Amino acid sequence: MASQQDLQELIRLMTIGMRVPMKDALGRVKDLQAKNLRSIQQIAESSLSDVTSAVKDAKAARSLHNACKARLKNPAGPSTAKRPGSTLENTSKRSRQSNDTGFVDGPEPVAPREFEASFALPVETDENIIADTVLLTNRAPLVLAFAVELLRYTMPEQPPSSRLSLAQAVVSANSRSKAVSIGIEKGPSADEQGWGHGQPRVKVMGREVAVLKRGGYEWKGDEEIEGHRKSENDTAGNEDTPSNATVTGVSKNTTSETSAGPVARTWSASQPVTLKKSTFIVRATQITEPSQRQPTMQSIFAAIPSLQTATHNAWAYRVRVPTNLFGATTIKEESFDDGESGCGDFLLKNMRETNAIDTLVVMTRWYGGVMLGPDRWRIIRTCLKDALAERLRVTGEQAALGGEAVWGLDLEAMRNKSGSTGSTSSRSYEAGVVGMPIHRPEAAKAYLFRSFATRVDKSEGAIGEKAGPEGATTSKPTAKKKTAKALEVEKEENVARLLGAIRLLFDSWADHLSTSELDRRAWGWYVAVRPDVEAGPSGWGAKGHLKLADILALRRKEA
């Protein structure tokens, strides 16, 4: 069975080696997979007729077949264009010029997993390698790198394509405000003029950006979602419990007493979700008083003994209680992590978003031995949303974003195209919805790789010093010119080391800070390590040294 790496290599061969637009490449990959051709090797070893039957275009099939054969004969051969650094940018340009506006909005949508796989970013976590790395770059792409990694923690439900789009929106907004502050541009921004009016907004690195909901788009990552397992424990002796996972939390020997007598509480449960051998499930039920929480949980543990073997049983509730002030009420909240650091607060946060009241939720996790990082928040949120789905009826206004995937809106492009054409229909070629341009993830990824192409060798000159008249402290050119292949490899290594350094930084703080506090501090961390450039217009777009060791130095010190 082909791995995700095989899929990425096949997409890279098509888009970079063969110059096929990303949208067309993903469509062909889908057709090939339908014929069980999932890797370069499988395509090369199959007959041309088999490839043609999948791709449908004889010329394109022959080109792909020959390219796969050539790659097998020469795995180290160039897969990029002759001009270094141009291919990723050209791919994004071709995507923007396509008539279809989005991969998920076209007439033949690509599966989300395949689409998101094309936006996988490399990450290096070896501290020794990272600490010895110095990159030559400007400030804007560093904002992009910080924002992309930050969103893994603050908005883990967003797929990689959305993170890139949102991060680019932050870069765009920040660059615009900086340009105005140093006098390069004048006048209010498109956002200030109301071009994002009425759209939802999210905060990233302290800056609010307007977003566009990707209606119906669902991305599940690498986890496996199982059907609800009916068992004697889960049904609590009731063999007629339906498969949508409503269970009665009262065993034969346990009841919950109220003034009205014994009450059997019905629990709604999510489907179990497993990732790297960790299994998650969330259950929800109704309670109307804080005092009902303990007996209600005792009843579910008695009804489903397997819960007592779980690693964590975190819980949270929100209950409307009277204040004894002219009949007014208030919301009482309480939560417990049970060892899953931050889970109780996370459950409450999401219950507030969905306006869940008079509700108790229990998140159960069987730990699989592998740390999941921020992926666990995405899974917990998915399970919680599933468990509450039958219990809550939520309006869009109450639920805010509700965990939906979003695009970052390109408000400046919206205003500029309106001013130049006077027609909204001509602006729809790069939008998810007619007339609403978005920041394309292809362009953001290309910009990220293009901006960190240069690595400074410490042995070639003093780091952090200005060049003297003799050039004694500047980096000297290498004796041998690097090949295009070597440049592409170095570019990928640079991005991997940078993202790895930022990830190690966020990992060290994630379990000790709320998501809002992590978002607030991220900008300060960026400012602390950004390259030194001249102030004012002369420093606009200027490059400087970025020491990755400085990013590692910002990690939380263990007590």
Side-chain angles (χ1 to χ4, degrees), residues 46 167 462 516:
S46 65
S516 59

Coordinates of all heavy atoms in Angstrom, one line a residue, residues 46 167 462 516:
S46 N 3.7 -0.5 -14.5 CA 2.5 -0.9 -15.2 C 2.6 -0.6 -16.7 O 3.5 0.0 -17.2 CB 1.3 -0.1 -14.6 OG 1.4 1.3 -14.9
A167 N -2.4 32.4 7.5 CA -1.1 32.9 7.8 C -0.7 34.0 6.8 O -0.2 35.0 7.1 CB 0.0 31.8 7.9
A462 N 31.7 36.4 9.8 CA 31.2 36.7 11.1 C 29.7 37.0 11.0 O 29.2 37.7 10.2 CB 31.9 37.9 11.8
S516 N -5.3 31.7 23.8 CA -5.3 33.1 23.6 C -3.9 33.7 24.1 O -3.4 34.7 23.5 CB -6.4 33.8 24.4 OG -6.4 33.5 25.8

